[in-house]
């Protein structure tokens, strides 16, 4: 139960991060956060019981820098929802592919990298999609950080929906 994910909100209800329930309970106990949404279950200790939080809000405002998502292979695959952008398969090992190959001046960027199955990656080779006659299912773009909070959790807690703009 203490390994459950809890959504952490800034004082202004902006989603900040996700932490484990154990960390959220410590924040609440120390007065650094308040429980906004409860799971419905209780955590029992020697000295008492605490409600299991689902969403907590910090008691103070945390100024955060512009939220930037690191350009990594795993993040490209998450953005593309584990789907090959050439054939649409979700089976087998997946890798990343440069839409415009580096040999043709392509760069490492959110707009030039897509998820691809190994078969399509090898078939496309060192060509662009037009030359290989392999159109993309979807044009890639840089994701918003909320997208990655959505991707991080496979089954979002229903209590999180209003705070992550899922309703």
């Amino acid at each position: 139960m203490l390994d459950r994910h809890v959504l952490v909100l800034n004082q202004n209800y902006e989603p900040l991060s996700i932490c484990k329930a154990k960390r959220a309970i410590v924040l609440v106990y120390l007065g650094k956060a308040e429980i906004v949404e409860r799971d419905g279950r209780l955590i029992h200790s020697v000295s008492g019981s605490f409600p299991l939080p689902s969403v907590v809000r910090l008691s103070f405002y945390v100024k955060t820098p512009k939220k930037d998502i690191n350009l990594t292979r795993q993040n490209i695959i998450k953005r593309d929802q584990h789907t090959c952008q050439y054939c649409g398969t979700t089976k087998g090992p997946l890798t990343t592919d440069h839409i415009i190959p580096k040999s043709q001046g392509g760069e490492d960027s959110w707009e030039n990298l897509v998820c691809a199955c190994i078969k399509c990656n090898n078939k496309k080779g060192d060509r662009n999609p037009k030359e290989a006659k392999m159109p993309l299912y979807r044009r890639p773009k840089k994701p918003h950080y909320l997208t990655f909070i959505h991707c991080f959790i496979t089954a979002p807690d229903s209590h999180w929906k209003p705070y992550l703009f899922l309703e």
Side-chain angles (χ1 to χ4, degrees):
M1 242 189 327
L2 292 177
D3 285 335
R4 239 181 106 79
H5 290 118
V6 175
L7 179 64
V8 180
L9 304 174
N10 211 339
Q11 188 182 31
N12 63 354
Y13 289 90
E14 173 191 18
L16 270 182
S17 65
I18 296 169
C19 72
K20 301 281 184 180
K22 183 177 180 180
R23 174 76 177 137
I25 290 169
V26 169
L27 287 170
V28 171
Y29 182 78
L30 294 175
K32 294 181 178 184
E34 66 175 326
I35 297 175
V36 177
E37 299 281 347
R38 299 166 193 259
D39 178 79
R41 294 181 280 181
L42 294 174
I43 300 292
H44 300 283
S45 74
V46 177
S47 59
S49 298
F50 302 95
L52 184 63
S54 177
V55 179
V56 296
R57 181 177 75 105
L58 296 178
S59 304
F60 48 89
Y61 182 79
V62 175
K63 186 176 179 183
T64 56
K66 184 179 176 224
K67 293 173 179 67
D68 218 11
I69 302 162
N70 292 333
L71 181 65
T72 64
R73 178 182 171 278
Q74 284 300 327
N75 286 345
I76 295 288
I77 293 171
K78 277 183 191 177
R79 178 202 61 195
D80 293 343
Q81 300 170 344
H82 300 278
T83 304
C84 175
Q85 295 302 295
Y86 297 110
C87 69
T89 188
T90 57
K91 299 195 176 7
L94 297 170
T95 185
T96 55
D97 179 57
H98 287 83
I99 298 169
I100 299 169
K102 284 188 162 190
S103 64
Q104 295 180 14
E107 55 186 35
D108 292 335
S109 69
W110 286 104
E111 294 77 18
N112 193 46
L113 287 165
V114 292
C115 178
C117 66
I118 291 176
K119 183 179 175 185
C120 287
N121 201 349
N122 288 335
K123 182 180 172 186
K124 182 177 162 283
D126 202 22
R127 301 175 289 175
N128 65 42
K130 192 173 184 177
E131 293 169 343
K133 296 184 175 89
M134 296 174 68
L136 289 167
Y137 272 86
R138 187 175 44 193
R139 202 79 187 136
K141 63 179 186 177
K142 184 175 182 176
H144 190 271
Y145 82 99
L146 282 179
T147 306
F148 273 80
I149 290 180
H150 295 199
C151 290
F152 180 72
I153 44 162
T154 51
D157 190 324
S158 60
H159 296 110
W160 295 15
K161 289 182 179 182
Y163 308 101
L164 296 176
F165 312 105
L166 293 173
E167 289 186 320

